[in-house]
Amino acid sequence: MISIFDLAALLLTLSALFGWLNHRFLRLPHTIGLLVMGLLASLALVGLDLAFPSQHLYEDLTQVLRQVDFTDVVMNGMLAFLLFAGAMSLDLRALRDRAWAVATLALVGTLISTAIVGGAFWFAADALGQPVPLAWALVFGALISPTDPVAVLATLKNVKVPEALEIEMQGEALFNDGIGIVLFTVLVAFAAGSGGEATSAGGVARLLLQEAGGGLVLGVATGYVAYRAMRAIDDFPVEVLITLALVAGTYALAQKLHFSGPLAVVAAGLLVGDRAPRDAMSEETQGYVSSLWTLIDEVLNSVLFLLIGLEVLVLRFEAGGLVLAACAVPIVLAARLTAVSTPLLAFRWGGNLSARNVPFLTWAGVRGGISVALALSVPESDAKPAILAATYAVVLFTIVVQGSTLGMVARRTLKDMPERDAA
């Protein structure tokens, strides 16, 4: 066993080393480069272990990585700070103007995608002679359908898109994980045979109201308290500390109250990011707060994407499931295309969605650490290996392939687009 400090030192050192190598030689976007470097290092280690089995290199590093509970690290550690950093930088006024489009994509799009992915994955598994029960296929649909806010925000740093479309994508990514996690919770309970009242229509509605509604209300309340506290003083060390306490305290309290922690910190971040710079923070404080959260965002993103690349060492994939995992990629892409097209066709009268954006929004549906964390939390069953392999295949494809080519897609599909048609 090694200490938490040793684990942190190892991950930070690898992040710095791989980040330097990527910047010097690969020149991929930073987070994508770290994931690729981590994946290549994992595969190289597997190859060395096969070539020199007496050295036990693979086994030694795998034992170290197994001490990192990926689900706990992401869902109960990094996620709160990364979401708050993303929400702080989002223009709330612009988000209000895009509220209908964001809500439609986040809610309707996630529900449509979950149903399509679940049904198609169930059919594909049966056709390949590796049957997965429909309930577990829908679980896969729920965990893979929401776009990952961390991955989307990291990808957008390297792509130029119209401001309104960027706001729409950021808003969708920040909010759709709430509905996705609620669906995931309900479907896991149903698939595991312990659904009870929670899987009834009324139970789902109550759970959604409690998780999503409660999280948003809590985030607004704690964000307002933090804003008023910052407004009452002018002392940048204390105000910086207030933002850190706001994130950790809000997320921890939301978990105790069985509210959505991600939605709570997003709501708090939006409120503080909108109001505090206007009348609660001096220019000096704004500089320190902005620098701190930019640094937190960059460091945690680096470690998270490195972990995704290294996670291949500890995930156990069955050879027979690799074909099904490959099939999951076009299934998820087709579901994403349908999810962003359906609201456009159903609500054309609203004027808030543009058909010109469909190819870009489809390709921009990046998945990341949240999907991997949810897949790892699935209870042990015959379907779990297939779900894990498919999740990892989709995450790798969306981040490496879609993420690295999103700029090219933007240039081709959004060229000469007027700002008013941006979303």
Side-chain angles (χ1 to χ4, degrees):
M1 294 288 290
I2 65 174
S3 67
I4 294 177
F5 181 83
D6 290 336
L7 278 172
L10 174 64
L11 292 174
L12 287 172
T13 301
L14 288 175
S15 297
L17 174 61
F18 289 168
W20 183 87
L21 290 172
N22 173 63
H23 184 79
R24 188 74 175 80
F25 300 108
L26 294 183
R27 299 190 180 278
L28 293 170
H30 178 64
T31 49
I32 297 175
L34 281 173
L35 187 150
V36 170
M37 294 288 288
L39 181 61
L40 291 176
S42 300
L43 296 176
L45 196 62
V46 172
L48 286 173
D49 188 70
L50 293 173
F52 306 102
S54 61
Q55 299 301 313
H56 303 293
L57 296 175
Y58 174 85
E59 183 180 344
D60 291 342
L61 186 55
T62 299
Q63 287 180 354
V64 172
L65 289 175
R66 286 190 185 281
Q67 294 183 49
V68 181
D69 187 332
F70 190 91
T71 300
D72 192 53
V73 166
V74 173
M75 303 302 292
N76 299 322
M78 293 182 176
L79 185 60
F81 294 91
L82 287 167
L83 289 180
F84 185 83
M88 278 271 290
S89 64
L90 191 61
D91 187 338
L92 184 58
R93 295 180 181 180
L95 181 62
R96 290 194 192 105
D97 295 337
R98 311 303 310 158
W100 175 252
V102 169
T104 302
L105 287 172
L107 179 60
V108 179
T110 302
L111 291 171
I112 291 173
S113 179
T114 297
I116 293 175
V117 172
F121 189 71
W122 170 74
F123 179 82
D126 189 62
L128 291 171
Q130 302 166 28
V132 173
L134 180 60
W136 286 116
L138 289 171
V139 167
F140 171 66
L143 68 88
I144 207 66
S145 289
T147 54
D148 188 294
V150 179
V152 169
L153 295 176
T155 302
L156 283 176
K157 293 176 183 177
N158 308 296
V159 180
K160 276 192 170 184
V161 297
E163 181 182 357
L165 180 57
E166 183 175 356
I167 292 293
E168 184 176 308
M169 290 175 59
Q170 290 176 331
E172 179 201 5
L174 287 169
F175 285 103
N176 68 3
D177 63 315
I179 182 66
I181 291 173
V182 172
L183 279 174
F184 173 80
T185 303
V186 171
L187 290 170
V188 165
F190 180 77
S194 57
E197 186 182 356
T199 55
S200 65
V204 172
R206 281 191 294 273
L207 183 60
L208 180 61
L209 181 63
Q210 176 182 329
E211 289 268 347
L216 291 172
V217 171
L218 176 64
V220 170
T222 56
Y224 184 75
V225 170
Y227 155 72
R228 295 295 299 186
M230 295 168 73
R231 188 178 180 185
I233 62 173
D234 183 15
D235 186 16
F236 77 82
V238 177
E239 292 179 75
V240 166
L241 187 59
I242 287 173
T243 62
L244 290 170
L246 172 62
V247 178
T250 299
Y251 201 86
L253 184 57
Q255 289 182 313
K256 295 296 182 184
L257 297 175
H258 302 291
F259 295 162
S260 172
L263 288 179
V265 295
V266 166
L270 287 172
L271 189 147
V272 171
D274 178 63
R275 304 196 65 171
R278 282 189 282 156
D279 56 8
M281 292 191 294
S282 65
E283 289 188 12
E284 182 182 32
T285 300
Q286 288 184 48
Y288 279 105
V289 169
S290 176
S291 297
L292 171 71
W293 284 102
T294 299
L295 180 62
I296 288 175
D297 185 48
E298 292 294 339
V299 172
L300 291 185
N301 260 314
S302 298
V303 174
L304 176 57
F305 279 79
L306 172 66
L307 276 174
I308 294 174
L310 294 175
E311 195 67 13
V312 72
L313 288 174
V314 296
L315 295 179
R316 297 296 182 182
F317 299 130
E318 296 180 358
L322 296 180
V323 176
L324 179 58
C327 291
V329 173
I331 287 173
V332 171
L333 276 173
R336 174 69 179 170
L337 173 62
T338 307
V340 298
S341 302
T342 302
L344 170 69
L345 296 174
F347 304 112
R348 291 188 67 87
W349 49 266
N352 284 316
L353 298 168
S354 171
R356 298 179 66 178
N357 294 340
V358 169
F360 178 77
L361 286 173
T362 300
W363 202 246
V366 183
R367 276 71 172 185
I370 295 177
S371 293
V372 176
L374 291 176
L376 289 169
S377 72
V378 170
E380 292 299 328
S381 68
D382 293 339
K384 184 171 183 177
I387 291 175
L388 272 176
T391 300
Y392 204 74
V394 171
V395 168
L396 285 182
F397 183 87
T398 59
I399 293 177
V400 177
V401 179
Q402 292 176 221
S404 60
T405 58
L406 193 58
M408 178 185 67
V409 174
R411 288 191 294 271
R412 293 191 175 187
T413 61
L414 306 179
K415 184 179 180 181
D416 300 326
M417 178 179 291
E419 188 66 27
R420 65 179 181 272
D421 294 333

